[in-house]
Amino acid sequence: MSVRPRISCVILCHNYGRYLDRAIKSCLEQEPGNFVLHEVIVIDDGSSDETEEVCLRYKGDVKIIRRNQQGFGQTLTDAFLLSTGDWVAPLDADDWFHPSKLRTCAEAMAGETLFIEHWENVVDSDGKRMLEEPHPGGNTSTLLVHRDAALTLLPASNEIFFHALRQAGRGVVLQEPLTFYRVHPRSMTDRSTPGVSQDYRADVCLALSDRLRALYASPPGWATTRQLRRTSWHFRTLAFGHRVESAMQRKERLSAILLIPGMLIGTLRARASITPWLRSLSSTITGRPLVRLTTAPEEQTHS
């Protein structure tokens, strides 16, 4: 009989006390399956609201880590450093898990899989459905990551760091909507100011690309040097794409055009599909950005 994987649910919270109760319950009330709920941890990143009060209700059932604010990247990094399970399921405190999340994901923990991503139901601040159909995931609350593999990528500034495992062929994507992803006015990322969100994503992708390059000399067990090179170029190319989009949103068309050759070179080195490059090229030719500046769910990367 195979050993059941131990899963750590780690809730990342900064002033989301009004949502925290539901997030904690969604971890504790998971349906049984071929896994062990090893621990539920709340990292309170310097909250000044009712977060501490909510945490006290679950004393004994949940491990609480309260500290001065250190920011999202450090909190996400600590989710892996401070947990002790085989797998880590990070959860933004304003989101919550479907009761079948861990059971369903545990069924996908086979072979060489180290990264599981699933779809989401998008809801508003009151928890009411915003989209009739499930939406692709990729943000913090839609991931389950093998802890040992994640440690090789730390420190992480964003959940995109763990997407490297999928890009290297060690991930799976489930189309079941296993997280309720909340969109509300106090979501963390600015998606209304031209270029801000795109520049942030570009910075994350470049940092990840550099991190992968640093692993060339001593590759981790989940990738060869060749895979690391291609994956590094993949994220560097994504960064070029985000920079192009940022320039287009800020109506700096010439700057966007000058980035197009670098994006093409990266695409070829990553041996990736040329389709994203063609979209960016078309955007610069027509003068129209690819992303609308709204808080629409399709533009969200994390809460």
Side-chain angles (χ1 to χ4, degrees):
M1 180 180 296
S2 60
V3 177
R4 293 189 298 167
R6 301 172 302 157
I7 301 177
S8 298
C9 292
V10 187
I11 302 172
L12 288 58
C13 186
H14 174 68
N15 286 338
Y16 280 160
R18 61 197 179 283
Y19 301 128
L20 182 58
D21 185 78
R22 192 165 198 175
I24 293 175
K25 285 182 178 178
S26 77
C27 295
L28 295 175
E29 297 175 356
Q30 286 290 301
E31 298 173 359
N34 188 33
F35 69 94
V36 174
L37 179 58
H38 180 62
E39 59 192 352
V40 177
I41 301 173
V42 176
I43 303 179
D44 177 4
D45 189 43
S47 298
S48 57
D49 62 356
E50 65 268 39
T51 292
E52 184 176 15
E53 178 184 339
V54 174
C55 288
L56 289 174
R57 299 177 202 158
Y58 294 93
K59 189 176 181 180
D61 295 320
V62 174
K63 180 178 180 180
I64 312 299
I65 299 172
R66 184 171 172 82
R67 81 297 180 77
N68 294 330
Q69 185 179 1
Q70 297 181 34
F72 175 77
Q74 186 59 55
T75 305
L76 180 62
T77 295
D78 287 345
F80 291 86
L81 292 177
L82 300 175
S83 58
T84 57
D86 304 310
W87 289 75
V88 176
L91 175 63
D92 285 325
D94 52 341
D95 303 331
W96 74 94
F97 291 154
H98 188 281
S100 66
K101 165 159 175 152
L102 300 188
R103 173 179 60 79
T104 303
C105 289
E107 294 171 359
M109 295 175 186
E112 297 185 340
T113 299
L114 298 173
F115 173 95
I116 300 170
E117 175 185 325
H118 57 73
W119 285 33
E120 63 193 6
N121 286 310
V122 181
V123 300
D124 64 16
S125 58
D126 296 321
K128 298 178 180 178
R129 194 180 296 270
M130 291 181 64
L131 297 178
E132 290 299 322
E133 299 296 327
H135 185 267
N139 56 71
T140 310
S141 304
T142 63
L143 307 182
L144 205 69
V145 189
H146 195 279
R147 182 174 179 270
D148 287 348
L151 292 177
T152 66
L153 293 164
L154 300 182
S157 59
N158 182 276
E159 66 273 11
I160 291 173
F161 267 60
F162 308 118
H163 289 211
L165 297 169
R166 184 184 69 179
Q167 190 62 30
R170 303 298 293 272
V172 297
V173 178
L174 309 177
Q175 293 192 4
E176 290 92 336
L178 302 175
T179 287
F180 293 88
Y181 177 77
R182 198 187 303 261
V183 177
H184 55 91
R186 294 183 65 184
S187 290
M188 189 174 65
T189 304
D190 180 357
R191 300 176 183 86
S192 60
T193 305
V196 170
S197 176
Q198 300 298 328
D199 284 338
Y200 169 73
R201 298 185 197 190
D203 289 343
V204 170
C205 288
L206 284 174
L208 173 54
S209 177
D210 289 342
R211 175 62 183 143
L212 294 169
R213 289 184 175 194
L215 295 174
Y216 288 177
S218 183
W222 51 268
T224 63
T225 299
R226 187 175 185 179
Q227 288 174 317
L228 290 173
R229 290 184 188 280
R230 291 180 60 176
T231 303
S232 175
W233 274 108
H234 168 79
F235 286 101
R236 195 159 290 268
T237 303
L238 286 181
F240 270 108
H242 289 314
R243 295 289 191 216
V244 171
E245 178 61 22
S246 172
M248 292 302 297
Q249 289 181 6
R250 289 182 278 107
K251 299 181 180 180
E252 298 175 359
R253 190 175 177 187
L254 178 58
S255 296
I257 291 173
L258 293 176
L259 290 165
I260 288 294
M263 187 177 178
L264 177 59
I265 292 172
T267 298
L268 297 175
R269 292 195 174 185
R271 298 185 182 180
S273 168
I274 202 171
T275 301
W277 177 78
L278 290 174
R279 290 198 189 105
S280 292
L281 177 62
S282 176
S283 174
T284 60
I285 292 173
T286 62
R288 292 195 296 268
L290 296 173
V291 179
R292 291 179 294 112
L293 290 174
T294 72
T295 54
E298 63 266 20
E299 297 173 29
Q300 303 274 343
T301 54
H302 55 79
S303 301

